[in-house]
């Protein structure tokens, strides 16, 4: 029997249980402290043009932060570059080619940065 089918979904003593930690939903530790996305610990910095009508965008992926902190980091990086951008699905997009500035800034913050792509 696969492990997925062995997990407890409802217990009469606890009520509904969390599928991740196995505790009652009221005492769930998973939702109280969201985990950072898993990865290899390397922040990848790349310049993209494809699918953007010829406009250059610098994308940053692999940042090991929860979504809330990722949005704060994106705002600080946009301010540093003096341009617009967004953060969604774990990827920060900065308008324009700012790879040099972003690489220096992220390394100063203690991240291991790797330039990906061409």
């Amino acid at each position: 029997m696969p492990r997925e089918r062995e997990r407890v979904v409802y217990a009469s003593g606890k009520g509904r249980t969390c599928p991740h930690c196995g505790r009652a939903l009221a005492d769930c530790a998973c939702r109280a402290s969201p985990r950072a996305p898993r990865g290899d610990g390397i922040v990848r910095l790349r310049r993209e043009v494809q699918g953007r009508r010829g406009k250059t965008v610098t994308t940053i992926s692999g940042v090991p932060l929860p979504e809330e902190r990722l949005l704060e980091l994106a705002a600080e990086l946009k301010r540093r570059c003096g341009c617009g951008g967004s953060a969604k699905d774990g990827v920060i997009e900065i308008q324009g080619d700012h790879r040099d500035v972003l690489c220096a800034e992220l390394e100063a913050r203690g991240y291991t940065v790797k330039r990906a792509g061409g």
Side-chain angles (χ1 to χ4, degrees):
M1 189 185 243
R3 266 190 87 70
E4 299 158 359
R5 306 193 105 205
E6 292 177 11
R7 68 181 174 94
V8 177
V9 177
Y10 185 87
S12 58
K14 298 188 220 178
R16 291 205 173 270
T17 59
C18 175
H20 302 290
C21 65
R23 297 182 181 177
L25 281 180
D27 301 329
C28 177
C30 299
R31 295 181 188 194
S33 60
R35 295 181 194 159
R38 292 183 182 167
D40 57 0
I42 298 174
V43 176
R44 287 180 169 71
L45 193 66
R46 63 186 301 144
R47 180 180 149 267
E48 293 182 4
V49 183
Q50 192 170 16
R52 302 177 194 280
R53 298 184 190 177
K55 295 183 172 55
T56 303
V57 175
T58 305
T59 61
I60 304 165
S61 59
V63 181
L65 293 175
E67 191 70 26
E68 189 175 292
R69 299 271 320 275
L70 191 71
L71 293 172
E72 293 172 9
L73 177 63
E76 292 171 11
L77 294 175
K78 289 189 297 184
R79 253 184 260 121
R80 176 76 169 91
C81 294
C83 62
S86 67
K88 52 188 162 188
D89 299 329
V91 178
I92 300 173
E93 296 179 354
I94 305 290
Q95 295 174 354
D97 185 5
H98 299 282
R99 289 178 293 179
D100 297 330
V101 174
L102 293 172
C103 187
E105 183 69 25
L106 290 169
E107 284 177 346
R109 291 174 184 256
Y111 295 107
T112 303
V113 181
K114 181 177 184 180
R115 289 179 180 232

